[in-house]
Amino acid sequence: IISLLSLFGVFFLAGCTEKPADPVQAGALDQKFYDMIKAKDFEQASMLFSKDEDPLQWENYLKEQHALLGDLLSYEIKDTVVNTILTGNVYISRYKTKYTNGDANEVLTVREDVNFDGIKVVMYRVNPRKKNLPTLPSQTPAPAGAPAPPAQ
């Protein structure tokens, strides 16, 4: 039993990250993402997402946001929460953004994973604050392989 517990402990600890959280690296990715949005380079911005995500789906989502909100004028970070998980670090940043058609509150989540080099965007959510904007058909794209919602 002791050898089994020791073996379990070795496998458990092998999966833990020893890499400390790096909010500067996460902030640099956030800035790159928003600079691409500001430049209307939605294709390149979509490439910042995790390899598990469909870049074309995210590109379409970013274009949808642009059509609704207009050009990004400014963005300001409100706060960032860092969560350390078994496989790395997750940075959840809230932003206050200004667009030509109104303001929004946004959440940009990036993950630094020990299983691949670098840091990637894993979630992006836009919540428009202007009451007269139409409701978005989706707040975030469906996971890869999920069926599309029915048209209304």
Side-chain angles (χ1 to χ4, degrees), residues 11 37 39-40 46 57 82 89 94 99 107 110 112 122 133 136 142 148 150:
F11 283 118
I37 298 299
K40 299 181 213 126
S46 70
Q57 194 172 21
V82 180
N89 299 300
R94 294 184 316 146
Y99 292 88
V107 178
V110 299
E112 181 180 31
V122 293
L133 288 174
L136 297 174

Side-chain angles (χ1 to χ4, degrees), residues 68-85:
L68 176 69
L69 294 167
D71 294 341
L72 176 62
L73 302 174
S74 66
Y75 60 96
E76 177 184 337
I77 192 161
K78 290 162 69 173
D79 58 36
T80 298
V81 175
V82 180
N83 290 321
T84 300
I85 58 174

